[in-house]
Amino acid sequence: MSVVSRFFIWGVPMRVQIQRTDCSNIIKHVATGAFALLTLLMCTALSAMAAAHTFGDEAVAGAKATKVESGKFDRRSITLITTYSGSTTSQRSLLDKAIDNKSAESRYDVNNLSEKMRNAITTALTAIPGVVNKDSLLIDAIRKSDVLREVLMSSSNIDSLTARISRQQRRKDVSARTNEKINAPTYDQMKVMLNGTYLLIVSLDSTLGGAKPYFYGTVAVVQLNVDTARKWVDNKYPEPSQVGLKVVAREKIWANDADLDGAISGLTKMSLPGSSNGTEKKPELSSGEKMAKNLANKVYDFLSGLDAFKVRAMFQNSDNGIDAGSREGLYTDMGFKVYEQMIDADGKPYTSYIGFGRVNSIGNNAEDYNNYSTLYPKIGSYDQGMIAVAHEQGPEICVAPALFTGSSELITSIEFNLNLAQYVKVRQLFLTVGYNYGLDAHRSTSLGVTKRFDLGRLAFNVGADYWLSNSVGLNAGLDFQVSADIVAGVKTGFRIGMGDIDGIDNPGGLLLGARVGYILPRLF
Amino acid sequence: MNSKMMYRSLVIIGIALLGACSPTIQKTILPVSKEATCIEGIAGKEFKYLAWGIGSDNAQAEEDALKCGLYAALVGGAAGGNCVPMLNATERETSKDFINSFFSDESSWRSYVRATNPGKMEADRRMKMHDGRIKLGVEIVVATTQLRQMLEVKGIIKKFQYGR
């Protein structure tokens, strides 16, 4: 005899038939307990999913939320100081124009100095040979020129605030109520603005003429630091003596008159407005103008490599669109780390790491600021308002052991995978150069091409390669993005030996293997 | 205990747990944050605020910011600037019902406020709070002339008299 139970789970009719035996009661209790446990597990899983959705995308993406320093995305401003000892007036004019044009294209705030102050600081720096190459001399010269007073006013926006107050006071008010005083920036706001102020000093050490002329100089970056007692609030700004100066970076640069467009180069990242369609005829530049433009490009390339000046963009729509593009020199497959600004329970701001993505399409924002670029989300999911910070990557170095199933030979390959996307505009296309080492005395170098197809955090890849021991192979694999810079995966393939060369054994047949890769930072 | 009752109890508990897991925050009539800073208040024209809104997502936070700026224009509480609120202390007390009904009708209050850059995010103006809610700073403009006219017609405030 059997007992049939009918019930509903979330509206779905269910039927359980229990055979009555001597143990029927035990079975009934076990079934009930199992059902209760299943329900509890399902609720817990759903709660966890909902909580993950509520409390951060990083849990869903698998990336752990880590606190990074607050102030990571605070305002940055640059004050340009150019000093060209040993240069002619016309050369200085060319260089100033090129650097100023480049500044106008950049996405940083540029603090403008008056002509009088520019001359004063240039004179102070030019008078001391090699001043930009020694921190103490450079800082002394900056202080003596008194340029800091003007820099502080400009970067803390005091001028515009003062002007705004004057305008308000002059306005007639028909209401019986009087104007309230406009509040000055708070101490914390001023500190953020002033500590985000940098002096960019471009110094020309020499210019050489001849058949291949070039400019040779130094670029130095000095950061202002304000960390003193609160003596300078309420419409004031700190005295120059209260401001710390620190040389944060310095580099020698040189620039010749090579053409700016057409060359495969990782150095020149900015595209000229209108150059993307290639239909407009560019004006012919003189040798000096080319050198000046190249120097300006290299100065800003150097600057964009500093952590404080890495390209930053904000997600502006739900399609992973960011407000950076050709104007900032974005290129296909350029890496970005994604962060979200948070407030903790005490109201203190901090930044949380969300994930990593690569540039999928590039918006031409040189013409229209609303042309957004898009990121492909490799790790994490993004929301409008999150922030992307450039994380440029270089070649990937990987170790890939593989077992040839036919001969049971184990060969380990060490490969350098160079991403060609920046040059050929095809995402995730790699040139592979490798060295293959077998336990059974096989040694060979190899050359290959691989294309990866992103599937979220996974990527399916197919490729072909040629081993210089005279064999060809077709490979396929599946990779997992462990972190922004680490990839791991499995691979399979088939090799055909085309005859031994120099007696080197050429394994053939089916292979199965794995690989672990580390993506190096971009060096050039 | 009857097995049928046990099954039903478990189902009810499961549904209750699911309901408790929902991250959606109920919409409120009045703004949640009420945090605004007056940027520019030109008497007889428009008031511009940097208003902060709080919501379960960006859209809800932006809506809350619009309400917040409009609320500041009506009732006050904005920091800085010279954005003088429409209602004085007495009028605020006597008009509580009106304020609630005004904000409960979206088609009504929306016509007096707009964002200067709708849908566009500004740097340092979007944060996620510890409880998962979004805090969003939006620059908004309140059409104070039309708002004043509406309040005068409804008898909430007295009409301006120029000169005596």
Side-chain angles (χ1 to χ4, degrees), chain A residues 8 10 32 36 43 46-47 50 53-56 73 164 168 173 177 179-180 183 314 316 340-343 345 372 383-385, chain B residues 6-7 10-11 14-15 17-18 21 23 39 43 58 80-82 84-85 119-124 126-132:
Chain A
F8 290 86
W10 294 293
T32 304
C43 281
L46 286 167
S47 305
H53 174 74
T54 304
F55 293 108
F73 311 113
R164 195 146 54 95
Q168 291 283 354
D173 186 358
R177 301 175 183 116
N179 285 339
E180 289 178 30
N183 287 344
M314 210 158 181
Q316 293 292 344
E340 187 168 30
Q341 289 174 292
M342 316 278 285
I343 305 175
Y372 300 137
D383 193 11
Q384 188 183 10
Chain B
M6 182 176 276
Y7 295 143
L10 286 169
V11 168
I15 291 170
L17 277 172
L18 272 179
C21 297
I39 297 173
N58 290 336
N82 63 338
V84 180
K120 188 147 170 123
M121 292 282 163
E122 300 285 336
D124 299 328
R126 182 203 180 268
M127 284 156 277
K128 183 172 261 189
M129 301 167 70
H130 66 282
D131 56 4

Short mmCIF file of all heavy atoms in Angstrom, two decimals, chain A residues 8 10 32 36 43 46-47 50 53-56 73 164 168 173 177 179-180 183 314 316 340-343 345 372 383-385, chain B residues 6-7 10-11 14-15 17-18 21 23 39 43 58 80-82 84-85 119-124 126-132:
data_model
loop_
_atom_site.label_atom_id
_atom_site.label_comp_id
_atom_site.label_asym_id
_atom_site.label_seq_id
_atom_site.Cartn_x
_atom_site.Cartn_y
_atom_site.Cartn_z
N PHE A 8 2.61 22.03 -3.19
CA PHE A 8 3.09 23.00 -4.18
C PHE A 8 4.39 23.65 -3.70
O PHE A 8 4.54 23.95 -2.52
CB PHE A 8 2.04 24.11 -4.42
CG PHE A 8 0.82 23.62 -5.14
CD1 PHE A 8 -0.23 23.07 -4.43
CD2 PHE A 8 0.72 23.70 -6.52
CE1 PHE A 8 -1.36 22.60 -5.09
CE2 PHE A 8 -0.40 23.23 -7.17
CZ PHE A 8 -1.46 22.68 -6.46
N TRP A 10 6.28 26.95 -4.68
CA TRP A 10 6.18 28.17 -5.47
C TRP A 10 5.22 28.02 -6.64
O TRP A 10 5.52 28.37 -7.78
CB TRP A 10 7.56 28.65 -5.97
CG TRP A 10 8.43 29.07 -4.85
CD1 TRP A 10 8.25 30.15 -4.03
CD2 TRP A 10 9.58 28.38 -4.36
NE1 TRP A 10 9.23 30.18 -3.07
CE2 TRP A 10 10.06 29.13 -3.24
CE3 TRP A 10 10.27 27.23 -4.75
CZ2 TRP A 10 11.18 28.75 -2.53
CZ3 TRP A 10 11.38 26.86 -4.03
CH2 TRP A 10 11.84 27.61 -2.94
N THR A 32 11.07 14.82 4.50
CA THR A 32 10.71 16.17 4.97
C THR A 32 11.96 16.98 5.29
O THR A 32 12.07 18.15 4.92
CB THR A 32 9.84 16.07 6.24
OG1 THR A 32 8.69 15.26 5.94
CG2 THR A 32 9.40 17.45 6.70
N ALA A 36 13.36 20.36 3.49
CA ALA A 36 13.63 21.58 4.25
C ALA A 36 15.04 22.08 3.98
O ALA A 36 15.28 23.28 3.80
CB ALA A 36 13.44 21.32 5.75
N CYS A 43 17.32 29.25 -0.64
CA CYS A 43 17.15 30.61 -0.13
C CYS A 43 18.49 31.25 0.16
O CYS A 43 18.72 32.43 -0.12
CB CYS A 43 16.32 30.60 1.16
SG CYS A 43 14.57 30.45 0.83
N LEU A 46 20.08 32.22 -3.13
CA LEU A 46 19.44 33.41 -3.70
C LEU A 46 19.77 34.65 -2.88
O LEU A 46 19.97 35.73 -3.44
CB LEU A 46 17.92 33.19 -3.76
CG LEU A 46 17.47 32.22 -4.86
CD1 LEU A 46 16.03 31.82 -4.67
CD2 LEU A 46 17.65 32.86 -6.24
N SER A 47 19.83 34.51 -1.55
CA SER A 47 20.18 35.65 -0.71
C SER A 47 21.59 36.12 -1.01
O SER A 47 21.86 37.31 -1.09
CB SER A 47 20.09 35.28 0.78
OG SER A 47 18.83 34.78 1.08
N ALA A 50 21.59 37.97 -4.24
CA ALA A 50 21.02 39.31 -4.09
C ALA A 50 21.96 40.21 -3.33
O ALA A 50 22.13 41.38 -3.65
CB ALA A 50 19.67 39.21 -3.39
N HIS A 53 24.68 41.32 -5.51
CA HIS A 53 24.23 42.38 -6.42
C HIS A 53 24.14 43.70 -5.69
O HIS A 53 24.45 44.75 -6.21
CB HIS A 53 22.86 41.98 -6.99
CG HIS A 53 22.24 43.05 -7.81
ND1 HIS A 53 22.67 43.38 -9.06
CD2 HIS A 53 21.23 43.91 -7.54
CE1 HIS A 53 21.95 44.36 -9.53
NE2 HIS A 53 21.06 44.71 -8.65
N THR A 54 23.71 43.64 -4.40
CA THR A 54 23.52 44.88 -3.65
C THR A 54 24.85 45.48 -3.23
O THR A 54 25.06 46.67 -3.31
CB THR A 54 22.68 44.61 -2.39
OG1 THR A 54 21.46 44.00 -2.78
CG2 THR A 54 22.39 45.89 -1.64
N PHE A 55 25.75 44.62 -2.74
CA PHE A 55 26.94 45.14 -2.08
C PHE A 55 28.18 45.10 -2.94
O PHE A 55 29.27 45.11 -2.44
CB PHE A 55 27.17 44.37 -0.77
CG PHE A 55 26.11 44.62 0.24
CD1 PHE A 55 25.18 43.65 0.53
CD2 PHE A 55 26.00 45.85 0.86
CE1 PHE A 55 24.18 43.89 1.45
CE2 PHE A 55 24.99 46.09 1.77
CZ PHE A 55 24.08 45.10 2.07
N GLY A 56 28.04 45.05 -4.19
CA GLY A 56 29.22 45.25 -5.01
C GLY A 56 29.35 44.23 -6.12
O GLY A 56 29.19 43.03 -5.92
N PHE A 73 41.46 59.66 -7.40
CA PHE A 73 40.96 60.32 -8.59
C PHE A 73 40.77 61.82 -8.37
O PHE A 73 39.94 62.44 -9.00
CB PHE A 73 39.63 59.68 -9.01
CG PHE A 73 39.73 58.19 -9.06
CD1 PHE A 73 39.04 57.41 -8.17
CD2 PHE A 73 40.56 57.58 -9.98
CE1 PHE A 73 39.16 56.04 -8.20
CE2 PHE A 73 40.68 56.21 -10.02
CZ PHE A 73 39.97 55.45 -9.13
N ARG A 164 34.01 86.08 -8.48
CA ARG A 164 32.58 85.73 -8.35
C ARG A 164 31.94 86.51 -7.21
O ARG A 164 30.80 86.98 -7.31
CB ARG A 164 32.47 84.21 -8.11
CG ARG A 164 31.09 83.66 -8.33
CD ARG A 164 31.15 82.25 -8.89
NE ARG A 164 31.94 81.33 -8.10
CZ ARG A 164 31.43 80.52 -7.18
NH1 ARG A 164 30.16 80.52 -6.92
NH2 ARG A 164 32.22 79.71 -6.51
N GLN A 168 28.72 89.12 -7.48
CA GLN A 168 27.52 88.98 -6.66
C GLN A 168 27.23 90.28 -5.91
O GLN A 168 26.08 90.69 -5.77
CB GLN A 168 27.70 87.84 -5.64
CG GLN A 168 27.73 86.45 -6.26
CD GLN A 168 26.36 85.95 -6.65
OE1 GLN A 168 25.37 86.59 -6.37
NE2 GLN A 168 26.31 84.80 -7.30
N ASP A 173 19.70 93.45 -5.85
CA ASP A 173 18.83 92.43 -5.30
C ASP A 173 17.49 93.07 -4.96
O ASP A 173 17.42 93.93 -4.10
CB ASP A 173 19.49 91.83 -4.06
CG ASP A 173 18.71 90.65 -3.52
OD1 ASP A 173 17.66 90.32 -4.08
OD2 ASP A 173 19.17 90.06 -2.54
N ARG A 177 15.69 90.24 1.22
CA ARG A 177 16.73 89.41 1.84
C ARG A 177 18.06 89.74 1.18
O ARG A 177 18.14 89.93 -0.02
CB ARG A 177 16.38 87.93 1.63
CG ARG A 177 15.04 87.59 2.23
CD ARG A 177 14.66 86.15 1.89
NE ARG A 177 13.33 85.87 2.41
CZ ARG A 177 12.30 85.58 1.65
NH1 ARG A 177 12.44 85.51 0.36
NH2 ARG A 177 11.13 85.34 2.17
N ASN A 179 22.23 89.15 0.16
CA ASN A 179 23.07 88.05 -0.31
C ASN A 179 23.78 87.38 0.85
O ASN A 179 24.27 88.06 1.74
CB ASN A 179 24.13 88.58 -1.27
CG ASN A 179 23.53 88.91 -2.61
OD1 ASN A 179 22.48 88.41 -2.95
ND2 ASN A 179 24.18 89.78 -3.35
N GLU A 180 23.83 86.08 0.79
CA GLU A 180 24.67 85.40 1.79
C GLU A 180 26.10 85.34 1.26
O GLU A 180 26.32 85.35 0.08
CB GLU A 180 24.16 83.97 2.01
CG GLU A 180 22.83 83.92 2.74
CD GLU A 180 22.35 82.49 2.87
OE1 GLU A 180 23.19 81.58 2.94
OE2 GLU A 180 21.14 82.28 2.92
N ASN A 183 30.70 80.76 0.39
CA ASN A 183 31.73 80.08 1.17
C ASN A 183 32.96 79.80 0.33
O ASN A 183 32.87 79.43 -0.83
CB ASN A 183 31.18 78.74 1.69
CG ASN A 183 30.20 78.97 2.81
OD1 ASN A 183 30.15 80.05 3.37
ND2 ASN A 183 29.42 77.96 3.11
N MET A 314 35.49 58.00 -17.02
CA MET A 314 34.32 57.60 -16.25
C MET A 314 33.35 56.87 -17.16
O MET A 314 33.18 57.24 -18.33
CB MET A 314 33.65 58.85 -15.70
CG MET A 314 32.93 58.64 -14.41
SD MET A 314 32.72 60.17 -13.54
CE MET A 314 31.91 59.58 -12.10
N GLN A 316 30.05 56.31 -18.73
CA GLN A 316 28.98 57.29 -18.93
C GLN A 316 27.66 56.67 -19.37
O GLN A 316 26.66 57.37 -19.50
CB GLN A 316 29.40 58.34 -19.98
CG GLN A 316 30.54 59.24 -19.51
CD GLN A 316 30.12 60.18 -18.38
OE1 GLN A 316 28.93 60.38 -18.12
NE2 GLN A 316 31.09 60.73 -17.69
N GLU A 340 35.59 51.79 -8.09
CA GLU A 340 34.35 52.45 -7.69
C GLU A 340 34.62 53.24 -6.43
O GLU A 340 35.28 52.76 -5.50
CB GLU A 340 33.23 51.44 -7.44
CG GLU A 340 31.87 52.08 -7.19
CD GLU A 340 30.73 51.08 -7.24
OE1 GLU A 340 30.96 49.90 -6.89
OE2 GLU A 340 29.62 51.47 -7.61
N GLN A 341 34.14 54.47 -6.40
CA GLN A 341 34.32 55.29 -5.19
C GLN A 341 33.26 54.91 -4.18
O GLN A 341 32.08 54.79 -4.50
CB GLN A 341 34.22 56.78 -5.56
CG GLN A 341 35.43 57.23 -6.35
CD GLN A 341 35.29 58.65 -6.85
OE1 GLN A 341 34.48 58.94 -7.70
NE2 GLN A 341 36.08 59.54 -6.33
N MET A 342 33.70 54.72 -2.96
CA MET A 342 32.82 54.23 -1.90
C MET A 342 32.89 55.15 -0.69
O MET A 342 33.80 55.97 -0.57
CB MET A 342 33.26 52.82 -1.46
CG MET A 342 33.60 51.87 -2.58
SD MET A 342 32.17 51.08 -3.30
CE MET A 342 31.76 49.90 -2.03
N ILE A 343 31.90 55.00 0.15
CA ILE A 343 31.93 55.70 1.45
C ILE A 343 31.72 54.64 2.52
O ILE A 343 30.76 53.86 2.43
CB ILE A 343 30.79 56.74 1.56
CG1 ILE A 343 30.85 57.72 0.39
CG2 ILE A 343 30.89 57.51 2.85
CD1 ILE A 343 29.68 58.68 0.39
N ALA A 345 31.14 53.24 6.59
CA ALA A 345 30.10 53.54 7.57
C ALA A 345 30.38 54.83 8.35
O ALA A 345 29.46 55.47 8.86
CB ALA A 345 29.94 52.36 8.53
N TYR A 372 31.94 58.17 -27.12
CA TYR A 372 32.58 57.38 -26.07
C TYR A 372 33.29 56.18 -26.66
O TYR A 372 32.89 55.63 -27.69
CB TYR A 372 31.54 56.90 -25.06
CG TYR A 372 30.79 58.02 -24.37
CD1 TYR A 372 29.41 57.94 -24.17
CD2 TYR A 372 31.45 59.16 -23.92
CE1 TYR A 372 28.72 58.97 -23.53
CE2 TYR A 372 30.77 60.19 -23.29
CZ TYR A 372 29.40 60.09 -23.11
OH TYR A 372 28.72 61.10 -22.48
N ASP A 383 29.25 49.74 -14.03
CA ASP A 383 28.04 50.55 -13.94
C ASP A 383 28.42 51.98 -14.28
O ASP A 383 29.58 52.40 -14.11
CB ASP A 383 27.46 50.47 -12.52
CG ASP A 383 26.04 51.02 -12.44
OD1 ASP A 383 25.43 51.28 -13.51
OD2 ASP A 383 25.55 51.20 -11.32
N GLN A 384 27.46 52.72 -14.73
CA GLN A 384 27.68 54.13 -15.04
C GLN A 384 28.16 54.83 -13.78
O GLN A 384 27.58 54.66 -12.70
CB GLN A 384 26.38 54.76 -15.52
CG GLN A 384 26.53 56.17 -16.05
CD GLN A 384 25.21 56.79 -16.46
OE1 GLN A 384 24.15 56.25 -16.18
NE2 GLN A 384 25.27 57.92 -17.12
N GLY A 385 29.23 55.59 -13.89
CA GLY A 385 29.76 56.30 -12.73
C GLY A 385 31.03 55.69 -12.17
O GLY A 385 31.73 56.32 -11.39
N MET B 6 3.70 21.70 7.75
CA MET B 6 5.14 21.91 7.75
C MET B 6 5.59 22.35 6.35
O MET B 6 6.39 23.26 6.19
CB MET B 6 5.86 20.64 8.17
CG MET B 6 7.36 20.81 8.23
SD MET B 6 8.22 19.40 8.83
CE MET B 6 8.10 19.63 10.57
N TYR B 7 5.07 21.66 5.32
CA TYR B 7 5.44 22.04 3.96
C TYR B 7 5.04 23.49 3.68
O TYR B 7 5.79 24.26 3.11
CB TYR B 7 4.74 21.12 2.93
CG TYR B 7 5.16 19.68 2.98
CD1 TYR B 7 4.24 18.66 2.76
CD2 TYR B 7 6.49 19.34 3.23
CE1 TYR B 7 4.63 17.34 2.81
CE2 TYR B 7 6.88 18.02 3.28
CZ TYR B 7 5.93 17.02 3.07
OH TYR B 7 6.32 15.71 3.10
N LEU B 10 7.32 25.98 5.40
CA LEU B 10 8.62 26.13 4.76
C LEU B 10 8.52 26.96 3.50
O LEU B 10 9.39 27.76 3.19
CB LEU B 10 9.19 24.74 4.44
CG LEU B 10 9.72 23.97 5.65
CD1 LEU B 10 10.01 22.53 5.29
CD2 LEU B 10 10.97 24.63 6.21
N VAL B 11 7.45 26.76 2.76
CA VAL B 11 7.26 27.55 1.53
C VAL B 11 7.11 29.02 1.89
O VAL B 11 7.69 29.91 1.25
CB VAL B 11 6.02 27.04 0.76
CG1 VAL B 11 5.64 28.01 -0.35
CG2 VAL B 11 6.31 25.67 0.17
N GLY B 14 10.39 30.45 2.83
CA GLY B 14 11.22 30.65 1.65
C GLY B 14 10.84 31.93 0.91
O GLY B 14 11.69 32.72 0.51
N ILE B 15 9.54 32.14 0.74
CA ILE B 15 9.09 33.35 0.04
C ILE B 15 9.47 34.59 0.84
O ILE B 15 9.91 35.61 0.28
CB ILE B 15 7.57 33.29 -0.20
CG1 ILE B 15 7.25 32.19 -1.23
CG2 ILE B 15 7.03 34.63 -0.69
CD1 ILE B 15 5.80 31.86 -1.38
N LEU B 17 11.99 34.95 2.87
CA LEU B 17 13.44 35.16 2.74
C LEU B 17 13.77 35.81 1.41
O LEU B 17 14.61 36.70 1.33
CB LEU B 17 14.19 33.83 2.86
CG LEU B 17 14.47 33.35 4.28
CD1 LEU B 17 15.03 31.94 4.25
CD2 LEU B 17 15.42 34.28 5.01
N LEU B 18 13.12 35.35 0.37
CA LEU B 18 13.35 35.95 -0.94
C LEU B 18 12.98 37.42 -0.93
O LEU B 18 13.69 38.27 -1.48
CB LEU B 18 12.51 35.23 -1.99
CG LEU B 18 13.13 34.01 -2.65
CD1 LEU B 18 12.17 33.39 -3.63
CD2 LEU B 18 14.43 34.36 -3.35
N CYS B 21 15.50 39.57 0.63
CA CYS B 21 16.77 39.70 -0.06
C CYS B 21 16.76 40.80 -1.11
O CYS B 21 17.77 41.14 -1.66
CB CYS B 21 17.13 38.40 -0.76
SG CYS B 21 17.36 37.04 0.37
N PRO B 23 17.18 43.97 -3.17
CA PRO B 23 17.97 45.17 -2.94
C PRO B 23 17.21 46.46 -3.27
O PRO B 23 17.71 47.54 -3.10
CB PRO B 23 19.16 45.01 -3.89
CG PRO B 23 18.60 44.20 -5.00
CD PRO B 23 17.52 43.32 -4.42
N ILE B 39 24.92 76.97 -5.80
CA ILE B 39 26.03 77.43 -6.64
C ILE B 39 25.79 78.88 -7.04
O ILE B 39 26.68 79.72 -6.96
CB ILE B 39 26.16 76.54 -7.89
CG1 ILE B 39 26.50 75.11 -7.48
CG2 ILE B 39 27.21 77.09 -8.84
CD1 ILE B 39 26.48 74.12 -8.62
N ALA B 43 18.15 86.27 -8.07
CA ALA B 43 16.76 86.59 -7.73
C ALA B 43 15.98 86.92 -9.00
O ALA B 43 16.44 87.68 -9.85
CB ALA B 43 16.72 87.78 -6.77
N ASN B 58 21.60 54.37 -10.09
CA ASN B 58 21.93 55.71 -10.57
C ASN B 58 20.67 56.52 -10.89
O ASN B 58 20.57 57.71 -10.57
CB ASN B 58 22.79 55.62 -11.84
CG ASN B 58 24.18 55.12 -11.53
OD1 ASN B 58 24.67 55.25 -10.42
ND2 ASN B 58 24.83 54.52 -12.52
N GLY B 80 25.78 77.44 1.59
CA GLY B 80 26.44 78.44 0.74
C GLY B 80 25.51 79.23 -0.16
O GLY B 80 24.31 79.01 -0.21
N GLY B 81 26.10 80.14 -0.89
CA GLY B 81 25.40 80.86 -1.94
C GLY B 81 24.31 81.79 -1.44
O GLY B 81 24.22 82.08 -0.25
N ASN B 82 23.49 82.26 -2.35
CA ASN B 82 22.40 83.15 -1.97
C ASN B 82 21.09 82.65 -2.55
O ASN B 82 20.29 83.42 -3.08
CB ASN B 82 22.70 84.58 -2.42
CG ASN B 82 22.79 84.67 -3.93
OD1 ASN B 82 23.03 83.66 -4.60
ND2 ASN B 82 22.59 85.85 -4.49
N VAL B 84 17.84 81.93 -1.73
CA VAL B 84 16.91 82.15 -0.63
C VAL B 84 15.67 81.28 -0.85
O VAL B 84 15.07 81.32 -1.92
CB VAL B 84 16.52 83.64 -0.56
CG1 VAL B 84 15.55 83.88 0.57
CG2 VAL B 84 17.76 84.49 -0.41
N PRO B 85 15.27 80.50 0.15
CA PRO B 85 14.13 79.61 -0.07
C PRO B 85 12.82 80.39 -0.25
O PRO B 85 12.67 81.51 0.23
CB PRO B 85 14.09 78.76 1.21
CG PRO B 85 14.88 79.51 2.21
CD PRO B 85 15.87 80.34 1.49
N GLY B 119 21.92 62.62 -17.30
CA GLY B 119 22.48 61.33 -17.68
C GLY B 119 23.99 61.30 -17.73
O GLY B 119 24.58 60.23 -17.92
N LYS B 120 24.64 62.42 -17.56
CA LYS B 120 26.11 62.43 -17.65
C LYS B 120 26.70 62.46 -16.25
O LYS B 120 26.26 63.19 -15.39
CB LYS B 120 26.57 63.66 -18.43
CG LYS B 120 28.06 63.62 -18.71
CD LYS B 120 28.41 64.27 -20.02
CE LYS B 120 29.92 64.39 -20.07
NZ LYS B 120 30.56 63.80 -21.14
N MET B 121 27.70 61.63 -16.05
CA MET B 121 28.35 61.55 -14.74
C MET B 121 29.49 62.54 -14.66
O MET B 121 30.23 62.72 -15.64
CB MET B 121 28.91 60.14 -14.54
CG MET B 121 27.86 59.09 -14.40
SD MET B 121 27.14 59.12 -12.78
CE MET B 121 25.66 58.18 -13.06
N GLU B 122 29.61 63.16 -13.51
CA GLU B 122 30.75 64.05 -13.28
C GLU B 122 31.72 63.36 -12.34
O GLU B 122 31.32 62.57 -11.47
CB GLU B 122 30.26 65.36 -12.62
CG GLU B 122 29.25 66.13 -13.45
CD GLU B 122 29.88 66.85 -14.63
OE1 GLU B 122 31.10 67.13 -14.57
OE2 GLU B 122 29.18 67.10 -15.61
N ALA B 123 33.01 63.68 -12.51
CA ALA B 123 34.03 63.05 -11.67
C ALA B 123 33.78 63.37 -10.21
O ALA B 123 33.37 64.47 -9.85
CB ALA B 123 35.41 63.56 -12.09
N ASP B 124 34.03 62.42 -9.34
CA ASP B 124 33.90 62.57 -7.89
C ASP B 124 32.49 62.87 -7.43
O ASP B 124 32.28 63.40 -6.34
CB ASP B 124 34.82 63.70 -7.35
CG ASP B 124 36.27 63.41 -7.62
OD1 ASP B 124 36.63 62.21 -7.62
OD2 ASP B 124 37.04 64.35 -7.85
N ARG B 126 29.89 60.42 -7.82
CA ARG B 126 29.12 59.19 -7.66
C ARG B 126 29.86 58.29 -6.70
O ARG B 126 31.03 57.97 -6.91
CB ARG B 126 28.92 58.48 -9.00
CG ARG B 126 28.08 57.20 -8.85
CD ARG B 126 28.35 56.28 -9.98
NE ARG B 126 27.61 55.04 -9.91
CZ ARG B 126 28.04 53.92 -9.33
NH1 ARG B 126 29.21 53.91 -8.73
NH2 ARG B 126 27.32 52.82 -9.34
N MET B 127 29.18 57.89 -5.65
CA MET B 127 29.80 57.03 -4.65
C MET B 127 28.82 55.95 -4.24
O MET B 127 27.61 56.17 -4.26
CB MET B 127 30.19 57.84 -3.41
CG MET B 127 31.43 58.67 -3.62
SD MET B 127 31.52 60.07 -2.51
CE MET B 127 30.50 61.24 -3.36
N LYS B 128 29.36 54.80 -3.87
CA LYS B 128 28.50 53.75 -3.35
C LYS B 128 28.67 53.74 -1.84
O LYS B 128 29.78 53.73 -1.33
CB LYS B 128 28.89 52.40 -3.94
CG LYS B 128 27.97 51.27 -3.49
CD LYS B 128 28.26 49.98 -4.22
CE LYS B 128 27.30 49.78 -5.34
NZ LYS B 128 27.38 48.48 -5.97
N MET B 129 27.56 53.77 -1.14
CA MET B 129 27.63 53.83 0.32
C MET B 129 27.81 52.43 0.89
O MET B 129 27.69 51.43 0.18
CB MET B 129 26.35 54.49 0.86
CG MET B 129 26.19 55.90 0.29
SD MET B 129 24.59 56.63 0.55
CE MET B 129 24.60 56.90 2.30
N HIS B 130 28.07 52.38 2.19
CA HIS B 130 28.38 51.09 2.82
C HIS B 130 27.19 50.15 2.78
O HIS B 130 27.34 48.94 2.84
CB HIS B 130 28.83 51.32 4.28
CG HIS B 130 27.75 51.86 5.15
ND1 HIS B 130 27.38 53.19 5.15
CD2 HIS B 130 26.93 51.25 6.03
CE1 HIS B 130 26.40 53.37 6.00
NE2 HIS B 130 26.10 52.22 6.56
N ASP B 131 25.96 50.73 2.64
CA ASP B 131 24.78 49.87 2.61
C ASP B 131 24.35 49.53 1.18
O ASP B 131 23.29 48.96 0.96
CB ASP B 131 23.62 50.53 3.35
CG ASP B 131 23.28 51.90 2.79
OD1 ASP B 131 23.90 52.31 1.78
OD2 ASP B 131 22.42 52.59 3.36
N GLY B 132 25.19 49.88 0.21
CA GLY B 132 24.91 49.53 -1.17
C GLY B 132 24.15 50.59 -1.96
O GLY B 132 24.01 50.48 -3.17
#
